[in-house]
Amino acid sequence: MAVIPLEFKVRGRFLKVRQASLPVREQLYMSDCAIADEENKVRIIEFLLRNLRVAGYRWDIFAAADTLENSCIATALHGLSSHRVVSKSTDDCSLVAVSPYSELLKRVSPNFRKNINKRRRKLEGIPDVAFSIESDLNQVEATFDEFLTLESSGWKAGKSRARGDVTKPFAIALNEKKKNFYKRVVKEFAERGQMRIVCIRVGPRLIAARIWLLLNQICYSLKTAYDEDYSSYSPGTLAFDHGYRQLAEAGEVTEINTITSGHAAENWKPEKVRYLSLLCFNNSVAGKLFYLAYRIRAALKKSSSM
C-alpha cells in the first residue's frame, strides 16, 4: 500500500516540459510520500512512473523538492535503475536523538547545561509557574487557540524586530488558509493521540508552547512560540527541555525532527540531515533532452565557478 500525492503542470514558453511533482505547501516545508514498510519502495515508484501515462498523465520530469535525504521518496528515487535521477542539497534539517535525559546532558556543553538549570530555577521562582504537556483532544484544541494568540503577539507577527533572514510576518493566525490547515492537523492527530503541546504557564497565562506531532517514532516539532516579556528566561528552550524529558521517559519516539536548520537547535547537538531537491527524467525523447540540458547547464555552472 502506498499514498503518493502528485500535482501536474506544464512549464516553459517554447519548449514545453510536463512535470509531475510532490506538492510543497507554504504551511509545512517538507514533502514525502507514504509506502508501507512491507512494500519494496523502489518497485512501487517504478510502477507509478511506468503507469502514469497509462492513467492519462504524461510526464517528462518527476520532481520532489524539500524532501529529506532519508525520506521515503528520496530512498526510492535513488534506488531507481530505470530512470536518470539527479539531486542537489538545498538546506539542512536538525534531528535531536531522544535518549535517557542523563545521556543528553552528557552530549550538550557544560555551559549550556548550566544555563538551562539556572534559568529553570529562576523561572520556577515566579509564583504559579507550571510546566505541562497537553495530549487530550479538548485540551489540545483549546491550547492551540492560545498558541495562535501567543505567536501573533510577538516577532512572528511583526510586533517586534524581525530576526535573521525573516523579511515579513509569518504567524499562523495572519493567514486564514494556513490557520485552517494547522487546526485540521492538530485536531486530526489529537484524535489519534499523536499530538502534544508542551506548555509553560504563569497562572493562566501561556508564556511558551511547542507543537509536537508524534508519528512513526519521530516527534516533529511543528511550531514554537513564547511570550517576549519572559525572553530573559529562555522559555522556548525550557519548554523543549521539559518536553524532551517526558519523551525520553515515555519511550515513544527515537528522535525530534525540528524540520528546520535553525540555530536554536544547535545547543542540543543534533544530527544534520540534508534537504534535497530531486529530479527524475522520463525515458521519453523530451525527458532525455531535458536531462541533457540539465547536465550541460550544471557543467557550465561548475566551470564558471572555478
Side-chain angles (χ1 to χ4, degrees):
M1 180 179 292
V3 177
I4 307 170
L6 292 176
E7 56 186 15
F8 297 85
K9 59 185 175 182
V10 178
R11 299 166 48 203
R13 179 177 299 178
F14 302 108
L15 185 60
K16 303 295 185 181
V17 54
R18 295 161 298 196
Q19 180 172 303
S21 57
L22 293 183
V24 179
R25 298 289 182 260
E26 66 168 330
Q27 292 91 336
L28 188 61
Y29 297 103
M30 182 183 288
S31 68
D32 201 1
C33 62
I35 300 177
D37 291 338
E38 62 271 16
E39 301 286 0
N40 184 307
K41 295 178 175 58
V42 175
R43 290 183 179 178
I44 290 289
I45 295 301
E46 283 181 335
F47 178 85
L48 170 73
L49 298 179
R50 187 170 60 248
N51 287 278
L52 280 177
R53 183 168 183 174
V54 176
Y57 299 100
R58 301 180 67 186
W59 65 281
D60 303 309
I61 296 175
F62 179 94
D66 295 325
T67 187
L68 295 179
E69 61 180 307
N70 60 357
S71 67
C72 183
I73 190 64
T75 301
L77 288 177
H78 280 141
L80 291 178
S81 58
S82 55
H83 294 78
R84 297 173 179 85
V85 177
V86 299
S87 66
K88 66 177 181 180
S89 178
T90 57
D91 202 352
D92 289 322
C93 177
S94 297
L95 307 180
V96 181
V98 176
S99 57
Y101 189 70
S102 59
E103 292 183 15
L104 172 70
L105 294 180
K106 294 176 184 177
R107 292 204 307 267
V108 302
S109 71
N111 188 55
F112 180 62
R113 185 166 65 241
K114 179 181 177 181
N115 284 335
I116 288 178
N117 294 332
K118 179 181 177 181
R119 289 173 183 175
R120 182 169 182 126
R121 286 194 302 268
K122 183 180 176 183
L123 182 60
E124 288 176 337
I126 299 175
D128 299 323
V129 167
F131 292 74
S132 66
I133 297 183
E134 310 292 2
S135 58
D136 173 78
L137 173 60
N138 293 331
Q139 290 178 324
V140 164
E141 288 191 295
T143 304
F144 185 69
D145 287 337
E146 292 182 80
F147 173 89
L148 294 177
T149 301
L150 176 61
E151 187 187 44
S152 297
S153 69
W155 67 277
K156 291 184 182 181
K159 300 294 178 64
S160 59
R161 181 175 60 84
R163 315 215 173 157
D165 59 356
V166 178
T167 58
K168 61 181 182 179
F170 64 100
I172 294 173
L174 299 180
N175 184 309
E176 194 67 21
K177 185 176 180 180
K178 184 187 259 189
K179 183 174 73 172
N180 291 336
F181 168 81
Y182 273 101
K183 281 202 160 198
R184 188 168 66 251
V185 168
V186 166
K187 182 178 186 298
E188 291 183 4
F189 280 93
E191 288 176 339
R192 303 173 190 173
Q194 294 174 274
M195 186 62 61
R196 304 288 185 271
I197 303 185
V198 186
C199 304
I200 303 179
R201 297 180 184 275
V202 176
R205 181 178 179 178
L206 185 67
I207 68 165
R210 286 183 173 269
I211 312 298
W212 285 357
L213 188 158
L214 277 53
L215 183 64
N216 296 333
Q217 293 189 300
I218 297 175
C219 171
Y220 292 92
S221 184
L222 301 184
K223 287 291 178 179
T224 303
Y226 65 89
D227 190 326
E228 294 183 7
D229 290 344
Y230 291 84
S231 59
S232 62
Y233 299 92
S234 300
T237 299
L238 293 181
F240 186 98
D241 179 69
H242 180 74
Y244 184 101
R245 293 179 191 228
Q246 301 304 311
L247 290 177
E249 184 177 323
E252 296 177 281
V253 301
T254 58
E255 67 184 36
I256 299 174
N257 184 322
T258 67
I259 300 180
T260 70
S261 59
H263 297 300
E266 294 303 308
N267 288 320
W268 302 101
K269 303 302 180 184
E271 173 193 356
K272 293 291 186 178
V273 177
R274 294 178 302 157
Y275 271 110
L276 299 179
S277 177
L278 297 111
L279 295 177
C280 173
F281 297 87
N282 201 348
N283 291 319
S284 62
V285 173
K288 291 177 180 178
L289 285 174
F290 287 121
Y291 174 73
L292 179 61
Y294 178 92
R295 301 303 299 179
I296 292 173
R297 186 164 59 249
L300 291 173
K301 185 177 180 179
K302 183 178 181 179
S303 63
S304 65
S305 63
M306 291 181 174

